[in-house]
Amino acid sequence: MARKFRLNGAIWRARRLWIAATCVVLLASLLVWLAYGSGAFAVTSIDVRGATFTKVDTVKKAAAVETGSSLVAVDANEVATRVAEVRTVSEVSVSRNWPHTVVIEITERTPKLAVPKDDKFVLVDKSGVAFRTVSKVPANVVRAKLEAPGPKDPATTTVLTVLSALTPELRQQLEWVEAEAATRITLALKDSRTVFWGDGTESDRKAEVVTALLARSGEHFDVSAPDVPTVS
């Protein structure tokens, strides 16, 4: 009789384990269905934030998130990678706003140079990326004469290096920059004077020398060799 009781107890424990496992499977299936198949977490909107001159539709198209798809299945990293390909976008973050919204927050590129092209200007950011064409130079953006602005263009990167080294006094006097080549940078000042900078080496030193020379008379300063500058 004791053996029969032990057998019945073992059968009952096995049944309880089977029932518990079945419940777990059913619950997991229900959760999967809720997340992916029921529409309870379906994407119904894409919220683009931080866009001022970037077109919202351009960001949404690059994101390639389909409405009606599961918000759970959205890969935020992949979406961010795609949106980062938009030329005007510098940084991007993607998150979920449960239960139905994908949030895309972008930081747009900030112009540092305005390169004349026809009757407009191509804006270039700190990385040398040409990202937008405008009809008027924005405030605090330097006009720069460049043949082929871009992050791989030596003249572009050299001009950006030079600008980052300018003293506040020299920056205030700056009218525009011309780069015939990466080794032939010229600054034009607001009082019609010019500064031949040469290449981008020793730019901090060159900026100090030019700033000190601004008090002297002369129309042209040559600081390509900053230890022996010339004034004419």
Side-chain angles (χ1 to χ4, degrees):
M1 183 64 68
R3 181 179 178 183
K4 183 176 181 180
F5 285 147
R6 287 196 296 272
L7 182 59
N8 288 340
I11 293 173
W12 176 238
R13 286 193 296 273
R15 286 178 177 175
R16 285 192 298 178
L17 288 174
W18 180 84
I19 292 171
T22 301
C23 289
V24 169
V25 171
L26 290 174
L27 179 60
S29 299
L30 176 62
L31 292 175
V32 170
W33 177 76
L34 284 172
Y36 295 94
S38 70
F41 298 105
V43 175
T44 59
S45 63
I46 300 173
D47 184 8
V48 178
R49 302 174 182 176
T52 56
F53 51 80
T54 302
K55 293 182 178 179
V56 170
D57 286 345
T58 299
V59 175
K60 290 182 177 181
K61 183 177 180 180
V65 177
E66 295 184 7
T67 56
S69 61
S70 171
L71 184 60
V72 178
V74 172
D75 189 320
N77 290 330
E78 287 187 2
V79 174
T81 298
R82 292 193 290 268
V83 173
E85 294 298 318
V86 176
R87 183 164 288 272
T88 57
V89 173
S90 174
E91 298 177 4
V92 57
S93 64
V94 177
S95 59
R96 300 175 180 86
N97 188 1
W98 301 98
H100 299 297
T101 304
V102 175
V103 179
I104 302 174
E105 188 159 1
I106 66 171
T107 300
E108 296 173 316
R109 295 186 186 276
T110 302
K112 296 296 183 182
L113 305 175
V115 181
K117 183 178 181 181
D118 300 328
D119 59 344
K120 296 183 181 297
F121 298 90
V122 176
L123 301 183
V124 177
D125 77 345
K126 64 181 181 180
S127 299
V129 176
F131 66 93
R132 189 184 179 205
T133 300
V134 296
S135 57
K136 184 179 179 181
V137 178
N140 301 318
V141 176
V142 177
R143 285 185 296 163
K145 296 181 180 180
L146 296 164
E147 289 296 325
K152 295 183 179 180
D153 174 46
T156 301
T157 55
T158 301
V159 166
L160 290 166
T161 297
V162 171
L163 291 182
S164 67
L166 299 186
T167 62
E169 297 87 348
L170 186 53
R171 181 59 184 264
Q172 187 176 12
Q173 291 293 319
L174 183 63
E175 183 72 17
W176 49 265
V177 182
E178 181 176 7
E180 295 180 7
T183 56
R184 295 189 60 80
I185 307 298
T186 299
L187 311 186
L189 306 183
K190 292 179 179 179
D191 56 7
S192 299
R193 294 191 288 182
T194 59
V195 179
F196 181 67
W197 201 272
D199 60 22
T201 61
E202 298 186 89
S203 283
D204 290 334
R205 173 63 176 153
K206 291 175 182 178
E208 293 176 357
V209 171
V210 175
T211 301
L213 292 174
L214 289 177
R216 297 179 56 178
S217 60
E219 296 182 355
H220 179 71
F221 305 104
D222 186 334
V223 292
S224 55
D227 290 335
V228 284
T230 61
V231 179
S232 59

